[in-house]
Amino acid sequence: MFSQRSLPLLALSLLCPALAMAQATPDIPAPPPPPPVAAPTTTSAPAPDPTPAPTAAPTPTAAPTPAPAEATAAPTAAPATSSAPAPAPAPSGRRVAGRLAVNPEGNTGLLRIGAAESVGPKLIRISFGLDFFKTGSLFAPDDGQSRVGGTLAISGSPVDYVELWLNTRAVSASNNLTNPQLLQSLGDLTLGIKGFYPVAKLASVGADLQVRFLSGVGNTSFDFGATEVRFRGLLTTDLYRATEQIPLRGHLNVGFVLDNSDKLLPEGSQLSEAERFALGINEFNRFTLGFGIEVPVKYVTPYLEYNVEFPLGYLATPGVVLSSNALRTSQTVVDATDIARPAVQRVIPQVLTPGIRVTAIPKLTLDLAIEIGITPDTAVGVPAVPPYNVVLFASYPLDPFGEGGGPAGPPVVVPVVVPEAPAPTQGTVAGLVKDQVSGKAVAGAVIAFDRSAPVASSPEGRFTSFEMDPGPVKVTVTKEGYEPATTDLSVAVAQAAEIEVALAPSIKEGTVAGRVVDEKDQPVAGAKVELEGPEAKQATTDASGHFELKATEGQYSLVVDKEGFLKKSRELALKGGATFSTDILIRPRPQQTLVEVKGDRILVKEKVHFVSGEARLEPDAAALLDQVVDLMVNSKQIKKVRIEGHTDNVGGDDTNQRLSQDRAQAVLRYLVDQGIDEKRLEAVGYGSSRPIAPNLTRRGREQNRRVEFHIVGQ
């Protein structure tokens, strides 16, 4: 039960660390500070290029880097000298005490604990790890179990705050109770990604995701149905960042394991605990929790971590009796059963790991850790924890881009002739652009100068001009949606003239134009047209019935009034720079008013006629409903009117209900079209449920076919 890829993988796992070690070069200790540099003399030979070697984070073995020598003082007439700049500060991936490193999986952190940080961008790290143990009575009183595993990983950070890694693992396990005794699991592949971000001076948070592809049992390809997925939330705290005195770091990991390894087994097949352990096959998904602390001091970093995994859906087998209270006890099963499972608290995988990380060798990081299993028992389907597991691994950084940086060599100090800076002859204009009404900063405003190139204001409303000769300058500030602003000021040598510009929002006007006609489409002259809304405007129609009004944009009511005619209105949304055109028909006021307010009703003395059996208004209904419009335009105190539709009992109830609703809605739509705000109206159909006369006669049924107007809000 092993993959044929074992030989290439093992060869690769041994070759890569050897190549990495071949590239290593020892740190170059920094030389003592040089003596003061004498005033240079001019020679025909050019000065050497002062470009320093790529700057790297300090390693524990490198001596402190001296500051560059100060420029040698010279008389006023003589040129001054200065030194080349000191190496740049260490990148975030390294610190003065201790060094970040990846674990055997390729993830920056401790042995199994992940850290919410990485070793630094554009560095590639190769790591190789070995682990082994040998013990007895792990799964049965007389068994002998041993295991040797190897992991090869490569990791890197392509950008800040992101880390990627890949690893492959090979395991050989032996148990004298299995057949064959030697079982191998070779070629498992894991891909991982981590994102993190510092949220405070001493804390960073992040999350990582690992996808593990398992090689099939007895074949050479991956079984993607058995893929394992791990997700963890990460928290790292670093007291050294805050105090620079306490070298103490802590880590917290909380996660979940989606374990599908049980799908590697052919349907119906069963494995013993020892066989499952050797092949890494488990049955339960798990909730994971881990804590870790480390003390990064010079040359070494001791650490301690604790990891626990809670199997989800695990059920113990009744009748399991423990023969003693020792940490690891044998079990006897009272009830006859093939597989017995003890209580969950005795099989939860728990590991306490002390370890030490050696950082004394430049670039190379070496770890030694012992995983101590503190789980009393084992159970089929739950990852078994051996009493101990010794882990050795090493990691080494590669810098293919020449930017991640190794340790810097000694600084090169080169005298540089620094000519006296010429006296300034120009000045600038700086200032703030803000909204005159709200006082908020205005971004993207164009600030133009009559004798310099224009500039734009920042998101904070600030701007600074290019340098210009001293003297008067005219400044013009423009921004879409605002009126232009102009100011004059004077520029002084070597100074920034400060100004503050308040832009007034521009007011855009729209136009309302139209014609007022009577029912014979003849123009109505002398009609008063009023616009009510953000502004109040008024006009009178000319001999052709035309009118035109201008107002700022907004929501308006347009009311038309002419002596001897019924009032009409229109609701409109006026936009700046646009024209709203409308023709309004007004009817002569009848000698006898057919519409009046009576109590909580608008009483209509004639019937509103509809096409028989339909919800279409007859032509004569318009004149009657225009009187309702006139009343509501003149009665602003009426806030809400319910239009009720009623029918007789001829036909089915559903048909009458639908017809009454449609007729009430048709009346509402006509009133809205004639300028009544729809918010003042509602339509309800009652069908034949509210008769006002018996439906036994033709006249009674005609009386019941009606539309009523009820005032429901004043």
Side-chain angles (χ1 to χ4, degrees):
M1 290 191 248
F2 62 90
S3 167
Q4 297 300 323
R5 291 171 292 179
S6 58
L7 293 178
L9 288 172
L10 290 176
L12 181 62
S13 65
L14 295 173
L15 179 60
C16 288
L19 292 176
M21 288 295 296
Q23 291 188 9
T25 56
D27 286 347
I28 303 175
V37 179
T41 60
T42 58
T43 66
S44 58
D49 184 2
T51 304
T55 304
T59 63
T61 58
T65 303
E70 297 182 354
T72 304
T76 305
T81 62
S82 71
S83 306
S92 61
R94 301 185 179 228
R95 305 171 327 124
V96 173
R99 181 189 303 165
L100 297 178
V102 297
N103 56 26
E105 297 175 347
N107 181 8
T108 299
L110 304 181
L111 182 65
R112 308 296 178 195
I113 294 290
E117 54 193 352
S118 72
V119 295
K122 299 186 179 179
L123 276 178
I124 294 177
R125 278 190 173 259
I126 293 179
S127 62
F128 175 70
L130 288 173
D131 58 274
F132 60 90
F133 76 89
K134 184 175 183 180
T135 186
S137 302
L138 179 60
F139 301 109
D142 298 324
D143 75 344
Q145 178 71 50
S146 64
R147 184 186 67 186
V148 177
T151 306
L152 176 64
I154 182 169
S155 62
S157 296
V159 295
D160 289 336
Y161 310 122
V162 175
E163 185 175 54
L164 306 173
W165 65 90
L166 176 150
N167 70 64
T168 181
R169 179 167 172 79
V171 175
S172 292
S174 176
N175 188 290
N176 60 349
L177 299 182
T178 63
N179 185 20
Q181 291 189 11
L182 179 64
L183 296 175
Q184 295 179 317
S185 173
L186 307 176
D188 294 346
L189 179 68
T190 301
L191 303 178
I193 184 171
K194 173 170 65 179
F196 61 93
Y197 195 79
V199 295
K201 186 174 182 181
L202 53 76
S204 300
V205 297
D208 68 17
L209 176 69
Q210 298 185 67
V211 181
R212 184 181 174 207
F213 302 100
L214 305 181
S215 58
V217 176
N219 59 61
T220 60
S221 60
F222 292 122
D223 187 339
F224 293 103
T227 300
E228 175 187 293
V229 179
R230 287 177 175 262
F231 174 80
R232 293 186 299 184
L234 313 173
L235 171 65
T236 293
T237 59
D238 191 341
L239 296 181
Y240 186 82
R241 291 186 199 165
T243 65
E244 297 187 359
Q245 296 178 352
I246 304 176
L248 181 63
R249 292 156 47 81
H251 308 278
L252 170 64
N253 292 180
V254 179
F256 179 79
V257 180
L258 181 63
D259 196 327
N260 296 309
S261 59
D262 203 41
K263 297 180 181 179
L264 288 173
L265 299 178
E267 187 174 356
S269 63
Q270 289 190 355
L271 297 180
S272 66
E273 287 186 70
E275 290 171 327
R276 283 177 172 267
F277 176 76
L279 298 175
I281 297 176
N282 305 305
E283 182 178 343
F284 301 100
N285 299 328
R286 302 180 296 283
F287 170 77
T288 65
L289 182 64
F291 307 91
I293 58 172
E294 57 177 314
V295 183
V297 294
K298 190 174 183 180
Y299 301 138
V300 295
T301 299
Y303 57 85
L304 181 68
E305 63 179 45
Y306 169 76
N307 289 280
V308 59
E309 297 186 355
F310 300 91
L312 305 180
Y314 176 90
L315 294 176
T317 302
V320 175
V321 179
L322 304 178
S323 61
S324 70
N325 292 322
L327 180 62
R328 295 194 173 271
T329 61
S330 59
Q331 304 170 7
T332 58
V333 182
V334 177
D335 298 330
T337 179
D338 293 335
I339 300 176
R341 287 176 174 161
V344 64
Q345 62 268 24
R346 297 192 60 82
V347 298
I348 293 176
Q350 300 181 72
V351 178
L352 182 67
T353 306
I356 187 168
R357 174 167 294 158
V358 179
T359 57
I361 304 174
K363 295 188 178 181
L364 184 65
T365 303
L366 302 174
D367 278 60
L368 169 62
I370 301 177
E371 295 180 295
I372 302 173
I374 54 177
T375 301
D377 290 297
T378 62
V380 174
V382 180
V385 180
Y388 73 94
N389 187 45
V390 179
V391 183
L392 299 167
F393 71 91
S395 66
Y396 186 85
L398 302 177
D399 189 8
F401 306 104
E403 297 182 18
V412 179
V413 180
V414 179
V416 178
V417 176
V418 180
E420 291 185 5
T425 59
Q426 296 181 313
T428 59
V429 177
L432 171 68
V433 183
K434 64 179 184 179
D435 188 292
Q436 189 180 72
V437 178
S438 66
K440 295 182 179 179
V442 176
V446 177
I447 300 93
F449 309 91
D450 60 353
R451 52 190 183 86
S452 181
V455 295
S457 59
S458 69
E460 295 77 27
R462 304 293 307 181
F463 70 90
T464 301
S465 72
F466 296 100
E467 290 189 339
M468 61 184 77
D469 293 333
V473 62
K474 176 175 286 187
V475 182
T476 302
V477 183
T478 57
K479 169 72 175 177
E480 185 178 0
Y482 291 89
E483 297 293 335
T486 302
T487 185
D488 295 310
L489 51 86
S490 182
V491 175
V493 173
Q495 295 183 15
E498 290 282 345
I499 60 171
E500 186 175 284
V501 181
L503 295 181
S506 59
I507 300 175
K508 293 184 177 180
E509 287 190 338
T511 302
V512 181
R515 193 167 70 107
V516 179
V517 297
D518 61 16
E519 55 189 343
K520 297 180 181 180
D521 199 30
Q522 295 298 311
V524 178
K528 184 172 66 174
V529 182
E530 293 181 307
L531 199 60
E532 301 173 355
E535 285 188 295
K537 295 293 182 74
Q538 182 176 310
T540 303
T541 58
D542 58 18
S544 63
H546 286 90
F547 67 91
E548 183 175 301
L549 293 167
K550 292 185 180 296
T552 58
E553 62 182 10
Q555 196 72 27
Y556 287 90
S557 293
L558 184 69
V559 180
V560 179
D561 189 15
K562 170 72 174 176
E563 186 176 355
F565 287 81
L566 297 172
K567 274 188 177 182
K568 279 286 183 72
S569 69
R570 287 283 187 277
E571 296 294 319
L572 59 95
L574 186 61
K575 296 188 178 297
T579 299
F580 183 89
S581 299
T582 181
D583 289 345
I584 301 177
L585 184 150
I586 59 176
R587 300 178 189 275
R589 186 177 298 278
Q591 293 182 354
Q592 182 181 3
T593 302
L594 300 177
V595 178
E596 64 180 358
V597 176
K598 191 170 184 179
D600 61 351
R601 294 178 59 187
I602 298 177
L603 183 62
V604 180
K605 299 177 182 178
E606 289 187 359
K607 293 180 68 63
V608 179
H609 293 142
F610 294 89
V611 176
S612 179
E614 298 183 21
R616 287 190 295 120
L617 292 167
E618 290 281 11
D620 65 348
L624 182 60
L625 292 177
D626 278 355
Q627 293 189 49
V628 178
V629 173
D630 177 78
L631 185 145
M632 293 192 69
V633 170
N634 287 305
S635 305
K636 298 293 186 183
Q637 74 276 11
I638 298 178
K639 304 299 183 184
K640 193 84 170 183
V641 173
R642 182 175 67 241
I643 304 168
E644 297 182 357
H646 301 272
T647 67
D648 57 24
N649 67 345
V650 176
D653 291 342
D654 291 343
T655 301
N656 289 333
Q657 169 64 35
R658 184 166 56 254
L659 180 61
S660 65
Q661 179 66 43
D662 292 345
R663 286 181 170 180
Q665 192 66 36
V667 172
L668 181 148
R669 182 49 50 197
Y670 180 86
L671 298 181
V672 171
D673 290 343
Q674 301 307 309
I676 302 302
D677 188 352
E678 191 169 357
K679 296 178 182 177
R680 299 175 67 190
L681 303 171
E682 65 178 14
V684 180
Y686 291 100
S688 60
S689 64
R690 296 187 179 186
I692 58 174
N695 282 303
L696 302 176
T697 65
R698 179 178 178 181
R699 175 161 179 76
R701 290 191 293 273
E702 184 180 356
Q703 287 179 309
N704 289 332
R705 295 192 298 270
R706 68 194 187 279
V707 173
E708 297 179 351
F709 300 85
H710 292 261
I711 300 171
V712 295
Q714 295 196 64

